[in-house]
Amino acid sequence: MKILALDTSTEHCTVALRLGDVVLLRETRAGQRHSELVLPMVQSILAEAGLRLQNLDGIAFGAGPGSFTGLRIACGVAQGLAFGAELPVAAISTLEALAQASGGERVIACLDARMSEVYHALYEKSAAGWHLLSAPGLYTPAEVPGVDGENWTGCGSGFAVYSEVLRSRYGAQLSKVDGDVYPHAREIAELAQTVFQNDAGVAPWEAAPLYIRDKVALKVSER
């Protein structure tokens, strides 16, 4: 399958074009420049492959959780590209993309959500894919859901920013921790392949970000 994927949920801006077993990549640390960088990256990667949008089977994006602005950019770009080319869209969880990138079988996916909170989900891998054990949620690091058993892989920026608290929370249940892994279009494209193979993509206008948090800033009294 030919799948275009993009993610702008963090400070990184990534684009991937999956052509069967071959994956072309574009990535940069964008800061706040995602909106000006992502479309040129898409155009560049399609040009390298010699493809037009109409040649694709679908477009996927990192739906969240993550940066509010970043999620809106990724969703809007995916919708616009897919609408014009009459393609289905797959909204892929950024936390599941973390799990996919982690190399683990039992994964604690955790992204820094700012404001002393984290986005968190638990996954376990099976032959059919990732089984969600705890849905994406917003927690303080000390109150994240517990896990059963051992051999868990902790990954994502939450483990980089709140390493001491999270390592204390999970203790010996953690076999590996990687705080540097971040949601990437490469894994989003890989996860989207199953979605499109099962005809589970949605119409562009039905795609939506997964925000989780209902506010983006602390009040003065909360600071």
Side-chain angles (χ1 to χ4, degrees):
M1 300 193 81
K2 297 183 287 294
I3 299 169
L4 176 69
L6 53 103
D7 184 82
T8 58
S9 63
T10 68
E11 66 270 26
H12 302 277
C13 183
T14 62
V15 175
L17 181 59
R18 187 175 182 88
L19 308 170
D21 294 330
V22 176
V23 182
L24 305 180
L25 298 175
R26 297 288 186 276
E27 59 183 298
T28 186
R29 197 177 185 94
Q32 304 297 319
R33 301 174 60 220
H34 299 84
S35 59
E36 64 183 271
L37 295 174
V38 65
L39 280 175
M41 292 167 68
V42 168
Q43 293 164 354
S44 171
I45 208 168
L46 289 173
E48 180 182 346
L51 295 175
R52 302 172 60 197
L53 287 170
Q54 290 81 356
N55 302 131
L56 304 178
D57 294 296
I59 298 176
F61 71 100
S67 157
F68 276 58
T69 301
L71 300 184
R72 287 195 293 268
I73 290 170
C75 183
V77 169
Q79 287 176 319
L81 295 174
F83 184 81
E86 299 183 343
L87 294 172
V89 174
I92 303 297
S93 166
T94 52
L95 294 174
E96 188 172 351
L98 280 182
Q100 186 75 5
S102 72
E105 301 288 324
R106 311 176 81 190
V107 179
I108 304 166
C110 193
L111 284 172
D112 177 22
R114 315 295 184 186
M115 297 166 61
S116 300
E117 293 175 315
V118 294
Y119 297 121
H120 177 284
L122 301 175
Y123 295 91
E124 187 167 28
K125 199 169 191 178
S126 69
W130 289 104
H131 177 54
L132 185 62
L133 301 179
S134 175
L138 182 68
Y139 305 92
T140 63
E143 296 176 338
V144 293
V147 297
D148 294 324
E150 299 179 342
N151 296 319
W152 286 88
T153 296
C155 64
S157 59
F159 278 93
V161 178
Y162 303 103
S163 175
E164 184 176 345
V165 176
L166 291 173
R167 285 176 181 270
S168 175
R169 178 77 172 94
Y170 293 114
Q173 293 177 293
L174 289 170
S175 61
K176 175 185 174 184
V177 172
D178 186 352
D180 294 328
V181 67
Y182 54 89
H184 198 291
R186 175 184 52 242
E187 283 74 40
I188 289 168
E190 188 175 359
L191 293 167
Q193 182 165 290
T194 301
V195 175
F196 293 128
Q197 285 175 338
N198 293 331
D199 293 322
V202 300
W205 54 88
E206 295 178 339
L210 174 62
Y211 289 123
I212 297 184
R213 176 183 278 151
D214 58 4
K215 65 178 181 178
V216 297
L218 292 171
K219 297 176 182 177
V220 173
S221 61
E222 296 174 313
R223 293 173 187 167

